[in-house]
Amino acid sequence: MSLKKRIVAWYTLWTLTLMAIIFLLFFSFSNTLSLRSLRHDVEEALSDASSLIRVRSGRLNFFSVDEVEDGIYILVFSSDGTLLFGREGIGAVSIGYQEGQRTLSLSDGHWIISDMMMDGYYIRAAARESTIYSMISSDYLLVLIAALVMVVISALGGYFIVSRAFLPLERLISTASEIADGDDLTKRLESSNAKESRELSSAFNSMLGRLDDSFKKEKEFTDDASHELRTPLAVIKAESEYALSSIDDRAEVEQSLSAIIKETDRMTRLISSLLELSRADKGSIKINKRRFSLSSMLEGLSEEMSQMARERNLSFSSTLEKGIFVYADEDMIIRSVINLINNAISYSKENGHIDLLLKRNESVAIISVKDDGIGISEEDQKRIFDRFFQVDKARSSSSSGLGLALVKEMAALNNATISVESKLGYGSTFTLSIPIA
Ligand code: ADP
């Protein structure tokens, strides 16, 4: 059974129970009241009859006394119990005199009986208790019908309200099924007036938006990855074919083979970066955090890097504050800094200068890699940490645009942050901030 029908069934059952309780209360209350009123009527009928019956010269005179009126019997007996007036054959005739009113259970029902002695006779007014039912049964029927009508109305009303309340949920189900059947994640739920369903639709829509984004990103990522892998493969194939065709020319073959090795290295680098990014996404990347001296680590690194810079006719300087320790994965921090310095070398201008800086700012160690190279436009700064993003693909043909994306992932794994400040044509400063141990 659907939730909607179940709610309406429970609701109707509850209304029905409530109505039954009200009806029973009403029934017992009106019974008590009617019985009280019947007792009073019997007493009154007795007193009326006593005023209409006269004993004159030992004889009884009845002035228009009815034997039965509104279910109340008037009986007159002689002192020895012989019925002189009234209906024979009823239970109320069979019992003896007793002053006052009493309730008796006789062969033909429960009776209310009132007796009164008058000049050697006794007068009796009697009524069956069941008289009240004939008096009020039509009222009961009316109340019962009204109650049933109310139950039906409330069940229909309940069904209407529940159906309206479930409308957004049904729309949600149908949109979700449409999405499940097809692959259109751009579909959105309409907003409705009720607060809860509005919140539900907006939560569902934002979830759809996020799913849509992440599917698009994944697709872009796969497209980019395939593209990046296809290029070196095409070069390898072309060089192999060329080497094969000029197999007798040793110099040409050597040149082709070294080109193949270069492309294979590039592919290997690309595949390991992809693997690492995928591990970072899955959360399965291994981190080996420990306390180490960032100052000493950068001192060693700056010597190697200044050598590299010199080979490219660039000058390199470093200003490193001593005694700065951090708690992080040393290997990841080294790789991140190398990546930043390599970029600074790659995107520098002729005879450019690179500056490596380490300082402490309160509880954070700040590493800056500053260059006076080509710089990055404000628009591109927003995207340089995206996977596969390259400002100028032709300029960095040997790289793939995954370096900064990996630096960002590694920084996050070490509770560090990476940021960039740059001006197109004037140079860039990349800053890595790591919490101090
Ligand atoms: P790549 O492997 O292409 O260098 P990165 O992720 O390291 O990939 O960098 C992404 C892009 O950001 C680069 O292609 C380049 O356009 C830009 N970039 C990175 N570092 C610098 C820098 N120091 N100066 C200018 N541009 C830079």
Side-chain angles (χ1 to χ4, degrees), residues 339 343-344 347 371 374-376 384 389-392 396 399-404 428 430:
N339 204 306
N343 277 354
Y347 303 104
D371 66 64
I374 59 167
I376 310 160
I384 50 166
F389 180 78
Q390 289 177 306
V391 175
D392 180 3
S396 45
S399 53
S400 54
L402 287 178
L404 286 179
S428 318
F430 282 84

Side-chain angles (χ1 to χ4, degrees), residues 339-348 369 371 373-376 380 383-393 395-396 398-407 420 422 427-430:
N339 204 306
L340 296 179
I341 299 175
N342 270 337
N343 277 354
I345 294 174
S346 303
Y347 303 104
S348 63
V369 179
D371 66 64
I374 59 167
I376 310 160
D380 290 334
R383 302 185 56 201
I384 50 166
F385 294 101
D386 289 353
R387 293 169 188 191
F388 292 110
F389 180 78
Q390 289 177 306
V391 175
D392 180 3
K393 271 189 187 282
R395 187 182 171 110
S396 45
S398 63
S399 53
S400 54
L402 287 178
L404 286 179
L406 259 173
V407 170
V420 63
S422 184
S428 318
T429 304
F430 282 84

